[in-house]
Amino acid sequence: MEIEKQELTANAHPFKVTAYWLDQISDFETAVDYPLIIICPGGGFTYHSGREESPIALRFVAEGMHAIVLNYQLITPTETVYPWALQQVAATIAWAQKHAVSHHIDTQRIILAGFSAGGHVTATFNSIATNPELAAKYGLDGYASSFAATILGYPVIDLTAGFPTTDTYRNQVTPDQTLWAAQKTATAAAKPTFVWQTVTDELVPAYNSMAYVKALMKVQVSTEYHLFGAGIHGLALANHVTEKPHKPKYVNAQAAQWTTLVLHWLQEQNLLAK
Protein backbone atom coordinates (compact mmCIF):
# COMPACT_ATOMS: atom_id res chain seq x y z
CA MET A 1 0.00 0.00 0.00
CA GLU A 2 1.16 3.50 -0.84
CA ILE A 3 0.26 6.45 1.40
CA GLU A 4 0.20 9.78 -0.42
CA LYS A 5 -0.31 13.19 1.17
CA GLN A 6 -1.26 16.09 -1.08
CA GLU A 7 -2.35 19.68 -0.76
CA LEU A 8 -5.07 20.46 -3.27
CA THR A 9 -6.87 23.71 -4.06
CA ALA A 10 -10.49 24.51 -4.83
CA ASN A 11 -11.39 28.09 -5.70
CA ALA A 12 -8.20 29.44 -4.09
CA HIS A 13 -8.92 27.51 -0.87
CA PRO A 14 -6.14 24.97 -0.16
CA PHE A 15 -6.89 21.75 1.70
CA LYS A 16 -5.14 18.48 2.45
CA VAL A 17 -5.90 14.90 1.51
CA THR A 18 -4.28 11.64 2.54
CA ALA A 19 -4.68 8.77 0.08
CA TYR A 20 -4.25 5.08 0.85
CA TRP A 21 -3.62 3.39 -2.48
CA LEU A 22 -3.86 -0.38 -2.72
CA ASP A 23 -1.06 -2.22 -4.49
CA GLN A 24 -1.78 -4.65 -7.26
CA ILE A 25 -1.45 -8.25 -6.08
CA SER A 26 1.54 -9.76 -7.85
CA ASP A 27 0.08 -13.19 -8.58
CA PHE A 28 -3.14 -11.88 -10.15
CA GLU A 29 -3.12 -12.53 -13.88
CA THR A 30 -4.78 -9.22 -14.73
CA ALA A 31 -4.82 -5.77 -13.12
CA VAL A 32 -7.72 -4.92 -10.81
CA ASP A 33 -9.43 -1.54 -10.60
CA TYR A 34 -10.55 -1.02 -7.02
CA PRO A 35 -13.41 1.05 -5.62
CA LEU A 36 -12.54 4.23 -3.73
CA ILE A 37 -13.98 5.64 -0.50
CA ILE A 38 -13.50 9.34 0.31
CA ILE A 39 -13.87 10.03 4.03
CA CYS A 40 -14.93 13.33 5.62
CA PRO A 41 -14.18 13.07 9.37
CA GLY A 42 -16.18 14.83 12.05
CA GLY A 43 -15.06 17.42 14.56
CA GLY A 44 -17.86 19.92 14.97
CA PHE A 45 -16.66 21.94 11.94
CA THR A 46 -13.70 23.15 14.05
CA TYR A 47 -11.22 20.26 13.73
CA HIS A 48 -10.88 16.88 12.01
CA SER A 49 -11.18 13.88 14.33
CA GLY A 50 -8.23 11.54 13.95
CA ARG A 51 -10.40 8.67 15.17
CA GLU A 52 -12.42 9.03 11.95
CA GLU A 53 -9.43 9.33 9.64
CA SER A 54 -6.86 6.51 9.29
CA PRO A 55 -8.76 3.93 11.40
CA ILE A 56 -11.81 4.25 9.15
CA ALA A 57 -9.69 4.40 6.00
CA LEU A 58 -7.71 1.30 6.88
CA ARG A 59 -10.86 -0.65 7.74
CA PHE A 60 -12.06 -0.17 4.17
CA VAL A 61 -8.60 -0.70 2.69
CA ALA A 62 -8.65 -4.12 4.37
CA GLU A 63 -11.79 -4.91 2.37
CA GLY A 64 -10.24 -4.09 -1.01
CA MET A 65 -10.92 -0.38 -1.40
CA HIS A 66 -8.68 2.61 -1.95
CA ALA A 67 -9.32 5.33 0.62
CA ILE A 68 -8.84 9.09 0.79
CA VAL A 69 -9.21 11.17 3.95
CA LEU A 70 -10.40 14.66 3.06
CA ASN A 71 -9.58 17.51 5.46
CA TYR A 72 -12.28 19.90 4.27
CA GLN A 73 -12.65 23.59 5.15
CA LEU A 74 -13.22 24.34 8.83
CA ILE A 75 -14.53 27.41 10.64
CA THR A 76 -11.80 30.04 10.94
CA PRO A 77 -11.87 33.65 12.13
CA THR A 78 -12.28 34.76 8.50
CA GLU A 79 -13.85 31.79 6.70
CA THR A 80 -17.04 29.73 6.84
CA VAL A 81 -17.20 26.03 6.01
CA TYR A 82 -19.46 26.45 2.98
CA PRO A 83 -19.44 26.67 0.06
CA TRP A 84 -15.74 25.82 0.13
CA ALA A 85 -16.16 22.35 1.64
CA LEU A 86 -18.50 21.35 -1.19
CA GLN A 87 -15.99 22.50 -3.79
CA GLN A 88 -13.23 20.62 -1.98
CA VAL A 89 -15.21 17.38 -2.11
CA ALA A 90 -15.74 17.90 -5.84
CA ALA A 91 -12.05 18.70 -6.35
CA THR A 92 -11.02 15.56 -4.45
CA ILE A 93 -13.22 13.36 -6.62
CA ALA A 94 -11.85 15.06 -9.75
CA TRP A 95 -8.26 14.57 -8.52
CA ALA A 96 -8.92 10.87 -7.95
CA GLN A 97 -10.51 10.50 -11.37
CA LYS A 98 -7.48 12.17 -12.94
CA HIS A 99 -5.28 9.46 -11.40
CA ALA A 100 -7.63 6.57 -12.08
CA VAL A 101 -5.33 4.82 -14.54
CA SER A 102 -2.10 5.13 -12.54
CA HIS A 103 -3.72 3.97 -9.29
CA HIS A 104 -6.24 1.53 -10.78
CA ILE A 105 -9.36 3.27 -9.49
CA ASP A 106 -12.78 2.16 -10.66
CA THR A 107 -14.35 5.58 -11.21
CA GLN A 108 -17.82 4.03 -11.35
CA ARG A 109 -17.39 2.94 -7.73
CA ILE A 110 -16.48 6.12 -5.85
CA ILE A 111 -18.21 6.30 -2.46
CA LEU A 112 -18.35 9.28 -0.09
CA ALA A 113 -18.42 8.72 3.68
CA GLY A 114 -19.00 11.33 6.37
CA PHE A 115 -19.13 11.24 10.15
CA SER A 116 -20.83 13.80 12.40
CA ALA A 117 -20.01 17.24 10.91
CA GLY A 118 -18.39 15.42 7.99
CA GLY A 119 -21.75 13.72 7.56
CA HIS A 120 -23.29 17.13 7.00
CA VAL A 121 -20.69 17.88 4.33
CA THR A 122 -21.34 14.53 2.65
CA ALA A 123 -25.15 14.66 2.84
CA THR A 124 -25.19 18.26 1.61
CA PHE A 125 -22.89 17.37 -1.27
CA ASN A 126 -25.22 14.49 -2.18
CA SER A 127 -28.09 16.97 -2.41
CA ILE A 128 -26.26 19.83 -4.13
CA ALA A 129 -23.93 18.05 -6.56
CA THR A 130 -26.74 15.91 -8.00
CA ASN A 131 -28.95 18.95 -8.71
CA PRO A 132 -27.66 20.78 -11.83
CA GLU A 133 -29.13 24.14 -10.81
CA LEU A 134 -27.68 24.01 -7.29
CA ALA A 135 -24.40 22.53 -8.52
CA ALA A 136 -23.95 25.56 -10.76
CA LYS A 137 -24.96 27.96 -7.98
CA TYR A 138 -22.32 26.59 -5.62
CA GLY A 139 -19.53 26.23 -8.17
CA LEU A 140 -19.54 22.47 -8.55
CA ASP A 141 -20.38 22.27 -12.25
CA GLY A 142 -16.78 22.88 -13.26
CA TYR A 143 -15.56 19.62 -11.72
CA ALA A 144 -15.63 16.06 -13.06
CA SER A 145 -16.90 14.70 -9.78
CA SER A 146 -19.34 11.85 -10.24
CA PHE A 147 -19.83 9.41 -7.37
CA ALA A 148 -21.96 6.35 -6.73
CA ALA A 149 -23.13 6.33 -3.10
CA THR A 150 -22.75 7.83 0.36
CA ILE A 151 -22.22 6.46 3.87
CA LEU A 152 -23.20 8.53 6.90
CA GLY A 153 -22.26 7.84 10.52
CA TYR A 154 -24.14 9.77 13.23
CA PRO A 155 -24.45 12.69 10.80
CA VAL A 156 -25.36 16.29 11.42
CA ILE A 157 -28.10 16.81 8.85
CA ASP A 158 -29.99 19.90 9.97
CA LEU A 159 -28.05 22.68 11.72
CA THR A 160 -31.22 23.63 13.59
CA ALA A 161 -31.89 20.11 14.90
CA GLY A 162 -29.73 19.96 18.01
CA PHE A 163 -26.24 20.80 16.79
CA PRO A 164 -25.03 23.53 16.58
CA THR A 165 -26.95 25.10 19.42
CA THR A 166 -26.81 28.79 18.43
CA ASP A 167 -27.42 30.88 15.33
CA THR A 168 -23.95 32.37 15.79
CA TYR A 169 -22.40 28.92 15.42
CA ARG A 170 -24.67 28.09 12.48
CA ASN A 171 -23.66 31.27 10.69
CA GLN A 172 -20.01 30.39 11.24
CA VAL A 173 -20.69 27.17 9.35
CA THR A 174 -22.54 29.18 6.70
CA PRO A 175 -24.95 32.11 6.66
CA ASP A 176 -26.61 30.50 3.62
CA GLN A 177 -29.65 28.77 5.09
CA THR A 178 -30.14 26.73 1.91
CA LEU A 179 -27.20 24.69 3.18
CA TRP A 180 -28.40 24.35 6.76
CA ALA A 181 -30.68 21.34 6.23
CA ALA A 182 -29.57 18.61 3.81
CA GLN A 183 -32.93 16.86 3.97
CA LYS A 184 -34.64 19.89 2.44
CA THR A 185 -32.54 19.86 -0.75
CA ALA A 186 -32.54 16.10 -1.42
CA THR A 187 -34.04 15.06 -4.74
CA ALA A 188 -34.60 11.82 -6.63
CA ALA A 189 -31.19 12.35 -8.24
CA ALA A 190 -29.38 11.85 -4.91
CA LYS A 191 -27.18 8.77 -4.65
CA PRO A 192 -27.99 5.64 -2.60
CA THR A 193 -27.16 6.13 1.06
CA PHE A 194 -26.34 4.01 4.11
CA VAL A 195 -26.93 5.69 7.48
CA TRP A 196 -26.26 4.61 11.05
CA GLN A 197 -26.69 6.31 14.41
CA THR A 198 -27.60 5.57 18.05
CA VAL A 199 -30.81 6.51 19.86
CA THR A 200 -28.91 7.95 22.82
CA ASP A 201 -26.51 10.18 20.83
CA GLU A 202 -26.07 13.07 23.25
CA LEU A 203 -24.63 15.60 20.76
CA VAL A 204 -26.44 15.06 17.45
CA PRO A 205 -30.02 13.90 18.06
CA ALA A 206 -31.11 10.87 16.10
CA TYR A 207 -33.90 12.80 14.44
CA ASN A 208 -31.19 14.31 12.21
CA SER A 209 -30.56 10.99 10.48
CA MET A 210 -34.25 10.09 10.64
CA ALA A 211 -35.20 13.30 8.83
CA TYR A 212 -32.67 12.61 6.08
CA VAL A 213 -33.70 8.99 5.62
CA LYS A 214 -37.35 10.07 5.47
CA ALA A 215 -36.51 12.66 2.82
CA LEU A 216 -34.62 10.11 0.70
CA MET A 217 -37.43 7.60 1.01
CA LYS A 218 -39.94 10.24 -0.06
CA VAL A 219 -38.09 10.76 -3.34
CA GLN A 220 -37.43 7.01 -3.69
CA VAL A 221 -33.66 7.05 -3.29
CA SER A 222 -32.29 3.67 -2.20
CA THR A 223 -31.54 3.88 1.52
CA GLU A 224 -30.49 1.58 4.36
CA TYR A 225 -30.81 2.83 7.93
CA HIS A 226 -29.58 1.35 11.21
CA LEU A 227 -30.56 3.01 14.48
CA PHE A 228 -28.82 1.26 17.37
CA GLY A 229 -30.52 1.35 20.76
CA ALA A 230 -27.69 2.87 22.78
CA GLY A 231 -24.32 4.54 22.36
CA ILE A 232 -22.55 7.87 22.64
CA HIS A 233 -21.75 10.27 19.83
CA GLY A 234 -18.53 9.78 17.89
CA LEU A 235 -18.15 6.02 18.18
CA ALA A 236 -16.12 5.75 14.95
CA LEU A 237 -15.42 2.00 14.60
CA ALA A 238 -16.98 1.47 18.06
CA ASN A 239 -14.28 -1.06 18.93
CA HIS A 240 -10.90 -1.11 20.70
CA VAL A 241 -9.17 0.50 17.72
CA THR A 242 -10.95 3.84 18.16
CA GLU A 243 -11.57 3.61 21.91
CA LYS A 244 -10.20 6.67 23.70
CA PRO A 245 -7.71 5.58 26.40
CA HIS A 246 -9.49 4.47 29.58
CA LYS A 247 -12.90 5.38 28.16
CA PRO A 248 -14.79 2.12 27.57
CA LYS A 249 -17.92 4.01 26.54
CA TYR A 250 -16.33 4.30 23.09
CA VAL A 251 -16.65 0.53 22.65
CA ASN A 252 -20.12 -0.62 21.65
CA ALA A 253 -20.52 -4.18 20.39
CA GLN A 254 -23.87 -3.53 18.74
CA ALA A 255 -22.90 -0.34 16.95
CA ALA A 256 -19.58 -1.90 15.88
CA GLN A 257 -21.63 -4.06 13.52
CA TRP A 258 -22.07 -1.06 11.22
CA THR A 259 -18.91 -1.92 9.29
CA THR A 260 -20.14 -5.44 8.51
CA LEU A 261 -23.57 -4.09 7.60
CA VAL A 262 -22.20 -1.41 5.30
CA LEU A 263 -19.93 -3.88 3.52
CA HIS A 264 -22.93 -6.10 2.77
CA TRP A 265 -24.82 -3.02 1.59
CA LEU A 266 -21.99 -2.03 -0.74
CA GLN A 267 -22.05 -5.53 -2.20
CA GLU A 268 -25.80 -5.29 -2.74
CA GLN A 269 -25.23 -1.99 -4.55
CA ASN A 270 -22.60 -3.73 -6.74
CA LEU A 271 -19.96 -1.35 -5.40
CA LEU A 272 -17.84 -4.03 -3.71
CA ALA A 273 -17.00 -7.52 -4.88
CA LYS A 274 -19.13 -10.27 -3.34
Side-chain angles (χ1 to χ4, degrees):
M1 181 181 67
E2 175 190 354
I3 300 176
E4 178 182 6
K5 295 181 181 290
Q6 284 287 341
E7 182 171 283
L8 306 178
T9 302
N11 199 9
H13 283 70
F15 63 101
K16 295 179 180 180
V17 296
T18 302
Y20 301 78
W21 303 122
L22 286 169
D23 296 325
Q24 292 293 301
I25 295 176
S26 60
D27 51 348
F28 280 6
E29 295 178 354
T30 58
V32 175
D33 290 339
Y34 294 106
L36 166 67
I37 187 167
I38 298 173
I39 299 161
C40 293
F45 303 107
T46 61
Y47 73 102
H48 299 113
S49 172
R51 297 171 56 256
E52 294 156 356
E53 295 187 326
S54 61
I56 304 290
L58 293 173
R59 180 68 183 87
F60 284 97
V61 166
E63 297 295 336
M65 302 177 70
H66 299 297
I68 295 175
V69 173
L70 165 56
N71 290 147
Y72 54 86
Q73 177 70 43
L74 300 173
I75 295 169
T76 74
T78 59
E79 295 281 10
T80 57
V81 174
Y82 297 112
W84 320 119
L86 297 177
Q87 296 172 8
Q88 291 165 349
V89 174
T92 301
I93 299 172
W95 177 72
Q97 291 175 327
K98 183 179 178 180
H99 294 87
V101 173
S102 59
H103 287 297
H104 294 279
I105 303 166
D106 184 342
T107 59
Q108 300 302 307
R109 295 190 291 168
I110 295 177
I111 299 104
L112 306 181
F115 298 83
S116 192
H120 192 273
V121 174
T122 301
T124 303
F125 188 84
N126 195 12
S127 293
I128 302 301
T130 55
N131 181 319
E133 182 178 343
L134 291 177
K137 177 181 178 180
Y138 292 105
L140 306 183
D141 54 340
Y143 296 94
S145 57
S146 61
F147 63 105
T150 67
I151 299 166
L152 304 176
Y154 39 89
V156 178
I157 294 296
D158 189 329
L159 300 185
T160 68
F163 180 87
T165 58
T166 67
D167 280 345
T168 298
Y169 200 154
R170 294 178 192 109
N171 282 304
Q172 288 177 317
V173 177
T174 177
D176 183 352
Q177 294 190 20
T178 300
L179 302 178
W180 279 16
Q183 81 275 16
K184 294 181 180 179
T185 50
T187 70
K191 301 299 183 180
T193 298
F194 177 100
V195 189
W196 72 277
Q197 193 167 13
T198 62
V199 172
T200 58
D201 190 315
E202 76 289 357
L203 184 66
V204 179
Y207 45 79
N208 277 265
S209 55
M210 294 170 72
Y212 191 61
V213 169
K214 182 178 178 180
L216 293 180
M217 291 175 64
K218 185 175 181 179
V219 294
Q220 297 183 324
V221 172
S222 177
T223 308
E224 182 162 319
Y225 183 40
H226 295 274
L227 184 62
F228 297 102
I232 62 169
H233 184 76
L235 284 170
L237 292 175
N239 63 15
H240 67 282
V241 176
T242 54
E243 177 189 5
K244 290 187 177 182
H246 313 299
K247 292 187 177 181
K249 64 183 179 180
Y250 284 93
V251 175
N252 184 307
Q254 281 190 308
Q257 297 177 72
W258 78 265
T259 54
T260 299
L261 293 168
V262 78
L263 292 169
H264 287 314
W265 180 78
L266 289 170
Q267 291 173 333
E268 291 170 0
Q269 298 294 319
N270 294 316
L271 296 174
L272 189 64
K274 297 182 179 180

